[in-house]
Amino acid sequence: MAENQGAAREHQPEQPIELAGAFPAPDRRRNQQLCLNAGRALMLCGVLVAIPTAFGPADDGAAAAADKRRALVGFVAWIVGVCLCFLGLTPAAPWVVRAGAAVATTVLKLLSPPV
């Protein structure tokens, strides 16, 4: 029995060595959740801007042009939100998710009311 216990110790997998100056890996799930939250917020804002302006009555040419611009901005915001949601759901490279999280934090800062 003692012979088997010593053999088991020799076959244990090695633990990864952490360097003293190494930075910890960022939390991938947190970044993905951040991308999802910002994507949802952008999609909602885009729909709330695009739908009423696209289907509302336009009185004159200037109001119609402004409504078209607002509808385009809402559509672009919705598309960016969809892209952030897909980025949060796909198993992408870590640097892509970090870049998406940086965009998401910027978007959430712009959309949050000042305190």
Side-chain angles (χ1 to χ4, degrees), residues 71-86:
L72 179 66
V73 167
F75 179 70
V76 168
W78 184 78
I79 289 293
V80 171
V82 169
C83 291
L84 280 174
C85 282
F86 278 136

Side-chain angles (χ1 to χ4, degrees), residues 28 91-98:
R28 184 178 171 95
W95 66 271
V96 174
V97 175
R98 277 182 284 183

Side-chain angles (χ1 to χ4, degrees), residues 42-102:
L42 270 175
M43 286 172 48
L44 178 65
C45 289
V47 166
L48 289 176
V49 168
I51 296 298
T53 58
F55 295 109
D59 297 335
D60 58 354
D67 284 346
K68 286 180 184 178
R69 275 187 250 121
R70 257 187 242 127
L72 179 66
V73 167
F75 179 70
V76 168
W78 184 78
I79 289 293
V80 171
V82 169
C83 291
L84 280 174
C85 282
F86 278 136
L87 183 64
L89 293 174
T90 57
W95 66 271
V96 174
V97 175
R98 277 182 284 183

